[in-house]
Amino acid sequence: MQKSLRTPRQILLQSLLVEARKAKGLTQAELADALGKPQSFVAKYESGERRIDVVEFVDITAILGVAASNLLAKIEPVAAKTRSSAMNTTGQNESE
């Protein structure tokens, strides 16, 4: 699995979070204040400079008044075929 801050799915998540923040009428500074974080925290995850963990994601969506599950549903999951291909390259299934 590609671990990058610039994957299409990561970029989509960033844009969904920015859209939700703006829809709520909050600035980055206001959201950061509600999270107890510096404004740079919001700026960095929105610009793709850093990732957020699942707990931060849940906190952010709660403040924005959106269901975390609704945002996650908009991100296309990795195809099962891709996952099985990855297993074959590790040799786990090749000996069977």
Side-chain angles (χ1 to χ4, degrees):
M1 180 183 304
Q2 183 181 9
K3 285 190 120 181
S4 170
L5 294 174
R6 306 285 183 233
T7 64
R9 293 169 69 208
Q10 183 66 27
I11 292 167
L12 175 58
L13 177 60
Q14 290 164 213
S15 67
L16 291 170
L17 289 170
V18 170
E19 182 182 303
R21 175 180 59 77
K22 289 180 178 181
K24 183 78 172 178
L26 295 175
T27 65
Q28 288 181 345
E30 290 168 334
L31 175 56
D33 187 54
L35 290 165
K37 304 269 189 185
Q39 180 271 334
S40 61
F41 169 81
V42 176
K44 286 180 180 182
Y45 79 73
E46 286 188 355
S47 70
E49 192 175 330
R50 81 177 299 277
R51 287 180 180 247
I52 53 174
D53 67 32
V54 68
V55 173
E56 292 166 334
F57 175 73
V58 170
D59 291 345
I60 292 164
T61 57
I63 291 167
L64 296 177
V66 296
S69 59
N70 289 347
L71 286 185
L72 292 175
K74 294 179 180 182
I75 300 173
E76 186 176 325
V78 175
K81 183 177 181 182
T82 303
R83 284 180 280 200
S84 65
S85 295
M87 284 183 62
N88 287 337
T89 61
T90 63
Q92 291 177 350
N93 289 342
E94 291 176 356
S95 63
E96 294 179 6

